Amino acid sequence: MLILQLKKRIEILEAQVQQLLNAQPTQLPAPVKEKKSSFKKPTVVEIFDYACEKLSNDDALKFTEKFHAHYEANGWKVGRNQMKDWKAAVRKWDLSTFVTTNQNTKIKNGKFDSDAAQRIFNDAHNYTKG
């Protein structure tokens, strides 16, 4: 008796499912959007490596010092907004101002702290060794 009632109930539920399937057009689920990971501050070595693709090692070292100091001071913001892509910020900077003008390795615009540059250069080489 109980088995017959269960079979009857199953038939009713299958009929209801069939009605729902026929009533609603088949809809694909909305694609799941991947959330972009939040911004991660680049290391000095990452900036140096990326700058080396565009500049010589000495010029990349100078650029890295200036770029890193600038954005550390500004909290890695572009204007009022949090930075999203530091590589895009590197591409936006005028790299020609960091090309050395002569053998004395002066920068065209402003002063340069050679001690800080040497520390960055040493950190970059220690990073690649380890």
Side-chain angles (χ1 to χ4, degrees):
M1 177 85 170
L2 184 59
I3 294 176
L4 291 175
Q5 288 175 346
L6 289 174
K7 284 184 178 181
K8 183 76 169 171
R9 182 70 180 143
I10 289 172
E11 289 175 3
I12 292 171
L13 290 174
E14 286 177 345
Q16 289 174 349
V17 167
Q18 204 54 253
Q19 284 178 340
L20 289 173
L21 289 175
N22 292 336
Q24 296 178 352
T26 306
Q27 294 179 355
L28 296 175
V32 178
K33 292 182 181 178
E34 289 185 26
K35 291 185 179 180
K36 290 186 177 180
S37 61
S38 60
F39 174 73
K40 182 180 170 232
K41 287 194 317 185
T43 64
V44 175
V45 175
E46 289 174 330
I47 298 170
F48 177 75
D49 288 343
Y50 190 71
C52 282
E53 295 175 10
K54 311 277 185 209
L55 300 167
S56 68
N57 281 352
D58 291 338
D59 295 336
L61 190 61
K62 295 170 187 176
F63 170 78
T64 300
E65 154 66 19
K66 192 96 168 168
F67 182 84
H68 190 266
H70 173 79
Y71 281 109
E72 276 293 315
N74 292 328
W76 293 94
K77 292 187 180 243
V78 179
R80 294 184 180 178
N81 303 318
Q82 182 68 29
M83 184 178 289
K84 295 178 184 174
D85 182 9
W86 65 269
K87 289 182 180 181
V90 168
R91 289 189 298 268
K92 189 175 177 186
W93 276 46
D94 182 15
L95 298 179
S96 65
T97 59
F98 296 94
V99 176
T100 53
T101 56
N102 58 26
Q103 293 294 348
N104 295 330
T105 63
K106 294 179 181 176
I107 295 179
K108 289 181 181 179
N109 296 334
K111 299 177 182 176
F112 182 69
D113 181 7
S114 61
D115 293 334
Q118 188 62 46
R119 287 193 307 272
I120 292 171
F121 186 76
N122 291 340
D123 287 346
H125 284 289
N126 291 338
Y127 176 76
T128 56
K129 287 180 185 177

